[in-house]
PDB file of all heavy atoms in Angstrom:
ATOM      1  N   ASP A  63     -10.255 -83.908   1.912  1.00 90.00           N
ATOM      2  CA  ASP A  63     -10.620 -83.009   3.013  1.00 90.00           C
ATOM      3  C   ASP A  63     -11.552 -81.878   2.571  1.00 90.00           C
ATOM      4  O   ASP A  63     -11.908 -81.007   3.355  1.00 90.00           O
ATOM      5  CB  ASP A  63      -9.373 -82.443   3.687  1.00 90.00           C
ATOM      6  CG  ASP A  63      -8.548 -81.535   2.772  1.00 90.00           C
ATOM      7  OD1 ASP A  63      -8.934 -81.318   1.600  1.00 90.00           O
ATOM      8  OD2 ASP A  63      -7.507 -81.037   3.226  1.00 90.00           O
ATOM      9  N   GLY A  64     -11.945 -81.882   1.291  1.00 89.00           N
ATOM     10  CA  GLY A  64     -12.854 -80.869   0.776  1.00 89.00           C
ATOM     11  C   GLY A  64     -12.169 -79.703   0.083  1.00 89.00           C
ATOM     12  O   GLY A  64     -12.813 -78.915  -0.613  1.00 89.00           O
ATOM     13  N   GLU A  65     -10.852 -79.574   0.285  1.00 89.00           N
ATOM     14  CA  GLU A  65     -10.113 -78.482  -0.365  1.00 89.00           C
ATOM     15  C   GLU A  65     -10.088 -78.715  -1.875  1.00 89.00           C
ATOM     16  O   GLU A  65      -9.999 -79.849  -2.342  1.00 89.00           O
ATOM     17  CB  GLU A  65      -8.682 -78.421   0.164  1.00 89.00           C
ATOM     18  CG  GLU A  65      -7.861 -77.323  -0.484  1.00 89.00           C
ATOM     19  CD  GLU A  65      -6.389 -77.324  -0.092  1.00 89.00           C
ATOM     20  OE1 GLU A  65      -5.967 -78.216   0.658  1.00 89.00           O
ATOM     21  OE2 GLU A  65      -5.675 -76.438  -0.563  1.00 89.00           O
ATOM     22  N   ILE A  66     -10.178 -77.634  -2.620  1.00 92.00           N
ATOM     23  CA  ILE A  66     -10.075 -77.711  -4.080  1.00 92.00           C
ATOM     24  C   ILE A  66      -8.731 -77.122  -4.482  1.00 92.00           C
ATOM     25  O   ILE A  66      -8.363 -76.027  -4.038  1.00 92.00           O
ATOM     26  CB  ILE A  66     -11.218 -76.940  -4.759  1.00 92.00           C
ATOM     27  CG1 ILE A  66     -12.572 -77.547  -4.358  1.00 92.00           C
ATOM     28  CG2 ILE A  66     -11.047 -76.952  -6.274  1.00 92.00           C
ATOM     29  CD1 ILE A  66     -13.770 -76.753  -4.828  1.00 92.00           C
ATOM     30  N   ILE A  67      -7.989 -77.865  -5.303  1.00 93.00           N
ATOM     31  CA  ILE A  67      -6.739 -77.345  -5.860  1.00 93.00           C
ATOM     32  C   ILE A  67      -6.938 -77.163  -7.361  1.00 93.00           C
ATOM     33  O   ILE A  67      -7.762 -77.848  -7.980  1.00 93.00           O
ATOM     34  CB  ILE A  67      -5.524 -78.252  -5.548  1.00 93.00           C
ATOM     35  CG1 ILE A  67      -5.708 -79.662  -6.103  1.00 93.00           C
ATOM     36  CG2 ILE A  67      -5.257 -78.282  -4.053  1.00 93.00           C
ATOM     37  CD1 ILE A  67      -4.479 -80.540  -5.987  1.00 93.00           C
ATOM     38  N   TYR A  68      -6.194 -76.224  -7.928  1.00 96.00           N
ATOM     39  CA  TYR A  68      -6.386 -75.850  -9.324  1.00 96.00           C
ATOM     40  C   TYR A  68      -5.084 -76.008 -10.102  1.00 96.00           C
ATOM     41  O   TYR A  68      -4.068 -75.440  -9.717  1.00 96.00           O
ATOM     42  CB  TYR A  68      -6.846 -74.390  -9.410  1.00 96.00           C
ATOM     43  CG  TYR A  68      -8.130 -74.138  -8.657  1.00 96.00           C
ATOM     44  CD1 TYR A  68      -8.105 -73.799  -7.301  1.00 96.00           C
ATOM     45  CD2 TYR A  68      -9.360 -74.245  -9.296  1.00 96.00           C
ATOM     46  CE1 TYR A  68      -9.281 -73.571  -6.604  1.00 96.00           C
ATOM     47  CE2 TYR A  68     -10.546 -74.030  -8.598  1.00 96.00           C
ATOM     48  CZ  TYR A  68     -10.504 -73.696  -7.264  1.00 96.00           C
ATOM     49  OH  TYR A  68     -11.658 -73.482  -6.563  1.00 96.00           O
ATOM     50  N   GLN A  69      -5.150 -76.784 -11.189  1.00 95.00           N
ATOM     51  CA  GLN A  69      -4.002 -76.861 -12.089  1.00 95.00           C
ATOM     52  C   GLN A  69      -4.070 -75.633 -12.983  1.00 95.00           C
ATOM     53  O   GLN A  69      -5.130 -75.313 -13.540  1.00 95.00           O
ATOM     54  CB  GLN A  69      -4.022 -78.132 -12.934  1.00 95.00           C
ATOM     55  CG  GLN A  69      -2.785 -78.262 -13.798  1.00 95.00           C
ATOM     56  CD  GLN A  69      -2.782 -79.524 -14.655  1.00 95.00           C
ATOM     57  OE1 GLN A  69      -3.678 -80.349 -14.580  1.00 95.00           O
ATOM     58  NE2 GLN A  69      -1.753 -79.652 -15.463  1.00 95.00           N
ATOM     59  N   VAL A  70      -2.928 -74.922 -13.101  1.00 95.00           N
ATOM     60  CA  VAL A  70      -2.913 -73.654 -13.843  1.00 95.00           C
ATOM     61  C   VAL A  70      -1.722 -73.601 -14.799  1.00 95.00           C
ATOM     62  O   VAL A  70      -0.714 -74.296 -14.612  1.00 95.00           O
ATOM     63  CB  VAL A  70      -2.847 -72.445 -12.879  1.00 95.00           C
ATOM     64  CG1 VAL A  70      -4.095 -72.362 -12.016  1.00 95.00           C
ATOM     65  CG2 VAL A  70      -1.606 -72.488 -12.009  1.00 95.00           C
ATOM     66  N   ASN A  71      -1.860 -72.767 -15.819  1.00 92.00           N
ATOM     67  CA  ASN A  71      -0.705 -72.386 -16.635  1.00 92.00           C
ATOM     68  C   ASN A  71      -0.022 -71.248 -15.893  1.00 92.00           C
ATOM     69  O   ASN A  71      -0.693 -70.351 -15.379  1.00 92.00           O
ATOM     70  CB  ASN A  71      -1.142 -71.884 -18.014  1.00 92.00           C
ATOM     71  CG  ASN A  71      -1.463 -73.017 -18.964  1.00 92.00           C
ATOM     72  OD1 ASN A  71      -1.051 -74.151 -18.759  1.00 92.00           O
ATOM     73  ND2 ASN A  71      -2.230 -72.711 -20.000  1.00 92.00           N
ATOM     74  N   VAL A  72       1.302 -71.298 -15.805  1.00 90.00           N
ATOM     75  CA  VAL A  72       2.025 -70.247 -15.089  1.00 90.00           C
ATOM     76  C   VAL A  72       2.780 -69.355 -16.068  1.00 90.00           C
ATOM     77  O   VAL A  72       3.251 -69.822 -17.105  1.00 90.00           O
ATOM     78  CB  VAL A  72       2.995 -70.830 -14.031  1.00 90.00           C
ATOM     79  CG1 VAL A  72       2.225 -71.566 -12.961  1.00 90.00           C
ATOM     80  CG2 VAL A  72       4.038 -71.722 -14.649  1.00 90.00           C
ATOM     81  N   PRO A  73       2.908 -68.065 -15.730  1.00 88.00           N
ATOM     82  CA  PRO A  73       3.630 -67.138 -16.604  1.00 88.00           C
ATOM     83  C   PRO A  73       5.126 -67.437 -16.723  1.00 88.00           C
ATOM     84  O   PRO A  73       5.731 -67.192 -17.756  1.00 88.00           O
ATOM     85  CB  PRO A  73       3.419 -65.777 -15.937  1.00 88.00           C
ATOM     86  CG  PRO A  73       2.256 -65.952 -15.033  1.00 88.00           C
ATOM     87  CD  PRO A  73       2.249 -67.386 -14.624  1.00 88.00           C
ATOM     88  N   LYS A  74       5.730 -67.962 -15.640  1.00 88.00           N
ATOM     89  CA  LYS A  74       7.174 -68.199 -15.639  1.00 88.00           C
ATOM     90  C   LYS A  74       7.480 -69.623 -15.178  1.00 88.00           C
ATOM     91  O   LYS A  74       7.951 -69.833 -14.060  1.00 88.00           O
ATOM     92  CB  LYS A  74       7.874 -67.199 -14.730  1.00 88.00           C
ATOM     93  CG  LYS A  74       7.747 -65.766 -15.170  1.00 88.00           C
ATOM     94  CD  LYS A  74       8.459 -64.839 -14.216  1.00 88.00           C
ATOM     95  CE  LYS A  74       8.268 -63.395 -14.624  1.00 88.00           C
ATOM     96  NZ  LYS A  74       8.837 -62.477 -13.645  1.00 88.00           N
ATOM     97  N   PRO A  75       7.254 -70.618 -16.056  1.00 85.00           N
ATOM     98  CA  PRO A  75       7.545 -71.992 -15.633  1.00 85.00           C
ATOM     99  C   PRO A  75       9.043 -72.204 -15.449  1.00 85.00           C
ATOM    100  O   PRO A  75       9.852 -71.531 -16.088  1.00 85.00           O
ATOM    101  CB  PRO A  75       7.009 -72.843 -16.779  1.00 85.00           C
ATOM    102  CG  PRO A  75       6.940 -71.929 -17.953  1.00 85.00           C
ATOM    103  CD  PRO A  75       6.767 -70.534 -17.409  1.00 85.00           C
ATOM    104  N   LEU A  76       9.394 -73.109 -14.558  1.00 80.00           N
ATOM    105  CA  LEU A  76      10.794 -73.462 -14.341  1.00 80.00           C
ATOM    106  C   LEU A  76      11.146 -74.504 -15.392  1.00 80.00           C
ATOM    107  O   LEU A  76      10.732 -75.654 -15.309  1.00 80.00           O
ATOM    108  CB  LEU A  76      10.984 -74.000 -12.925  1.00 80.00           C
ATOM    109  CG  LEU A  76      12.399 -74.142 -12.412  1.00 80.00           C
ATOM    110  CD1 LEU A  76      13.167 -72.834 -12.491  1.00 80.00           C
ATOM    111  CD2 LEU A  76      12.392 -74.635 -10.975  1.00 80.00           C
ATOM    112  N   SER A  77      11.881 -74.099 -16.414  1.00 74.00           N
ATOM    113  CA  SER A  77      12.157 -74.921 -17.592  1.00 74.00           C
ATOM    114  C   SER A  77      12.622 -76.325 -17.240  1.00 74.00           C
ATOM    115  O   SER A  77      13.557 -76.507 -16.465  1.00 74.00           O
ATOM    116  CB  SER A  77      13.215 -74.252 -18.471  1.00 74.00           C
ATOM    117  OG  SER A  77      12.733 -73.020 -18.930  1.00 74.00           O
ATOM    118  N   ASN A  78      11.951 -77.294 -17.816  1.00 76.00           N
ATOM    119  CA  ASN A  78      12.301 -78.718 -17.714  1.00 76.00           C
ATOM    120  C   ASN A  78      12.325 -79.261 -16.291  1.00 76.00           C
ATOM    121  O   ASN A  78      12.840 -80.340 -16.058  1.00 76.00           O
ATOM    122  CB  ASN A  78      13.659 -78.990 -18.375  1.00 76.00           C
ATOM    123  CG  ASN A  78      13.662 -78.570 -19.818  1.00 76.00           C
ATOM    124  OD1 ASN A  78      12.711 -78.818 -20.541  1.00 76.00           O
ATOM    125  ND2 ASN A  78      14.730 -77.921 -20.233  1.00 76.00           N
ATOM    126  N   LYS A  79      11.801 -78.539 -15.326  1.00 83.00           N
ATOM    127  CA  LYS A  79      11.830 -79.025 -13.945  1.00 83.00           C
ATOM    128  C   LYS A  79      10.479 -79.565 -13.506  1.00 83.00           C
ATOM    129  O   LYS A  79      10.412 -80.474 -12.708  1.00 83.00           O
ATOM    130  CB  LYS A  79      12.288 -77.921 -12.983  1.00 83.00           C
ATOM    131  CG  LYS A  79      13.713 -77.473 -13.208  1.00 83.00           C
ATOM    132  CD  LYS A  79      14.704 -78.569 -12.909  1.00 83.00           C
ATOM    133  CE  LYS A  79      16.124 -78.087 -13.086  1.00 83.00           C
ATOM    134  NZ  LYS A  79      17.084 -79.174 -13.130  1.00 83.00           N
ATOM    135  N   PHE A  80       9.390 -78.961 -13.986  1.00 87.00           N
ATOM    136  CA  PHE A  80       8.057 -79.384 -13.573  1.00 87.00           C
ATOM    137  C   PHE A  80       7.182 -79.634 -14.787  1.00 87.00           C
ATOM    138  O   PHE A  80       7.292 -78.956 -15.798  1.00 87.00           O
ATOM    139  CB  PHE A  80       7.399 -78.332 -12.672  1.00 87.00           C
ATOM    140  CG  PHE A  80       8.145 -78.093 -11.393  1.00 87.00           C
ATOM    141  CD1 PHE A  80       8.774 -76.897 -11.153  1.00 87.00           C
ATOM    142  CD2 PHE A  80       8.221 -79.088 -10.429  1.00 87.00           C
ATOM    143  CE1 PHE A  80       9.474 -76.683  -9.975  1.00 87.00           C
ATOM    144  CE2 PHE A  80       8.915 -78.880  -9.246  1.00 87.00           C
ATOM    145  CZ  PHE A  80       9.545 -77.676  -9.022  1.00 87.00           C
ATOM    146  N   ASP A  81       6.274 -80.603 -14.652  1.00 88.00           N
ATOM    147  CA  ASP A  81       5.333 -80.916 -15.724  1.00 88.00           C
ATOM    148  C   ASP A  81       4.056 -80.101 -15.600  1.00 88.00           C
ATOM    149  O   ASP A  81       3.416 -79.767 -16.591  1.00 88.00           O
ATOM    150  CB  ASP A  81       4.963 -82.403 -15.702  1.00 88.00           C
ATOM    151  CG  ASP A  81       6.167 -83.299 -15.975  1.00 88.00           C
ATOM    152  OD1 ASP A  81       7.050 -82.891 -16.761  1.00 88.00           O
ATOM    153  OD2 ASP A  81       6.228 -84.400 -15.401  1.00 88.00           O
ATOM    154  N   TYR A  82       3.656 -79.813 -14.370  1.00 88.00           N
ATOM    155  CA  TYR A  82       2.441 -79.048 -14.160  1.00 88.00           C
ATOM    156  C   TYR A  82       2.506 -78.301 -12.838  1.00 88.00           C
ATOM    157  O   TYR A  82       3.330 -78.589 -11.987  1.00 88.00           O
ATOM    158  CB  TYR A  82       1.177 -79.916 -14.260  1.00 88.00           C
ATOM    159  CG  TYR A  82       1.251 -81.244 -13.545  1.00 88.00           C
ATOM    160  CD1 TYR A  82       0.753 -81.388 -12.258  1.00 88.00           C
ATOM    161  CD2 TYR A  82       1.805 -82.365 -14.160  1.00 88.00           C
ATOM    162  CE1 TYR A  82       0.807 -82.602 -11.603  1.00 88.00           C
ATOM    163  CE2 TYR A  82       1.862 -83.589 -13.506  1.00 88.00           C
ATOM    164  CZ  TYR A  82       1.359 -83.700 -12.231  1.00 88.00           C
ATOM    165  OH  TYR A  82       1.416 -84.902 -11.577  1.00 88.00           O
ATOM    166  N   TYR A  83       1.598 -77.330 -12.722  1.00 92.00           N
ATOM    167  CA  TYR A  83       1.603 -76.410 -11.583  1.00 92.00           C
ATOM    168  C   TYR A  83       0.193 -76.348 -10.993  1.00 92.00           C
ATOM    169  O   TYR A  83      -0.800 -76.385 -11.717  1.00 92.00           O
ATOM    170  CB  TYR A  83       2.029 -75.008 -12.035  1.00 92.00           C
ATOM    171  CG  TYR A  83       3.421 -74.997 -12.620  1.00 92.00           C
ATOM    172  CD1 TYR A  83       3.642 -75.306 -13.962  1.00 92.00           C
ATOM    173  CD2 TYR A  83       4.527 -74.697 -11.843  1.00 92.00           C
ATOM    174  CE1 TYR A  83       4.920 -75.315 -14.496  1.00 92.00           C
ATOM    175  CE2 TYR A  83       5.804 -74.696 -12.373  1.00 92.00           C
ATOM    176  CZ  TYR A  83       5.994 -75.011 -13.694  1.00 92.00           C
ATOM    177  OH  TYR A  83       7.260 -75.023 -14.221  1.00 92.00           O
ATOM    178  N   TRP A  84       0.147 -76.251  -9.669  1.00 92.00           N
ATOM    179  CA  TRP A  84      -1.127 -76.199  -8.952  1.00 92.00           C
ATOM    180  C   TRP A  84      -1.114 -75.024  -7.981  1.00 92.00           C
ATOM    181  O   TRP A  84      -0.064 -74.655  -7.465  1.00 92.00           O
ATOM    182  CB  TRP A  84      -1.337 -77.481  -8.134  1.00 92.00           C
ATOM    183  CG  TRP A  84      -1.505 -78.694  -8.984  1.00 92.00           C
ATOM    184  CD1 TRP A  84      -0.510 -79.490  -9.484  1.00 92.00           C
ATOM    185  CD2 TRP A  84      -2.721 -79.265  -9.440  1.00 92.00           C
ATOM    186  NE1 TRP A  84      -1.034 -80.507 -10.219  1.00 92.00           N
ATOM    187  CE2 TRP A  84      -2.399 -80.406 -10.211  1.00 92.00           C
ATOM    188  CE3 TRP A  84      -4.068 -78.931  -9.268  1.00 92.00           C
ATOM    189  CZ2 TRP A  84      -3.361 -81.206 -10.810  1.00 92.00           C
ATOM    190  CZ3 TRP A  84      -5.025 -79.731  -9.864  1.00 92.00           C
ATOM    191  CH2 TRP A  84      -4.672 -80.855 -10.624  1.00 92.00           C
ATOM    192  N   VAL A  85      -2.308 -74.477  -7.732  1.00 94.00           N
ATOM    193  CA  VAL A  85      -2.454 -73.472  -6.687  1.00 94.00           C
ATOM    194  C   VAL A  85      -3.594 -73.888  -5.767  1.00 94.00           C
ATOM    195  O   VAL A  85      -4.517 -74.590  -6.182  1.00 94.00           O
ATOM    196  CB  VAL A  85      -2.731 -72.049  -7.248  1.00 94.00           C
ATOM    197  CG1 VAL A  85      -1.556 -71.553  -8.077  1.00 94.00           C
ATOM    198  CG2 VAL A  85      -4.033 -71.978  -8.020  1.00 94.00           C
ATOM    199  N   SER A  86      -3.489 -73.455  -4.533  1.00 93.00           N
ATOM    200  CA  SER A  86      -4.586 -73.535  -3.584  1.00 93.00           C
ATOM    201  C   SER A  86      -4.968 -72.105  -3.269  1.00 93.00           C
ATOM    202  O   SER A  86      -4.127 -71.203  -3.299  1.00 93.00           O
ATOM    203  CB  SER A  86      -4.162 -74.237  -2.292  1.00 93.00           C
ATOM    204  OG  SER A  86      -3.836 -75.577  -2.543  1.00 93.00           O
ATOM    205  N   VAL A  87      -6.240 -71.916  -2.970  1.00 94.00           N
ATOM    206  CA  VAL A  87      -6.725 -70.563  -2.695  1.00 94.00           C
ATOM    207  C   VAL A  87      -7.477 -70.537  -1.365  1.00 94.00           C
ATOM    208  O   VAL A  87      -7.896 -71.576  -0.860  1.00 94.00           O
ATOM    209  CB  VAL A  87      -7.649 -70.050  -3.836  1.00 94.00           C
ATOM    210  CG1 VAL A  87      -6.881 -69.932  -5.139  1.00 94.00           C
ATOM    211  CG2 VAL A  87      -8.863 -70.948  -4.011  1.00 94.00           C
ATOM    212  N   THR A  88      -7.644 -69.333  -0.835  1.00 91.00           N
ATOM    213  CA  THR A  88      -8.437 -69.189   0.382  1.00 91.00           C
ATOM    214  C   THR A  88      -9.898 -69.469   0.021  1.00 91.00           C
ATOM    215  O   THR A  88     -10.357 -69.099  -1.063  1.00 91.00           O
ATOM    216  CB  THR A  88      -8.282 -67.768   0.965  1.00 91.00           C
ATOM    217  OG1 THR A  88      -8.635 -66.822  -0.047  1.00 91.00           O
ATOM    218  CG2 THR A  88      -6.860 -67.503   1.424  1.00 91.00           C
TER     219      THR A  88
END
Side-chain angles (χ1 to χ4, degrees):
D63 65 1
E65 179 186 3
I66 299 172
I67 59 172
Y68 301 88
Q69 184 180 357
V70 296
N71 280 341
V72 296
K74 297 180 183 174
L76 193 56
S77 298
N78 302 317
K79 295 295 182 194
F80 298 112
D81 296 326
Y82 44 96
Y83 299 85
W84 294 87
V85 296
S86 295
V87 296
T88 56

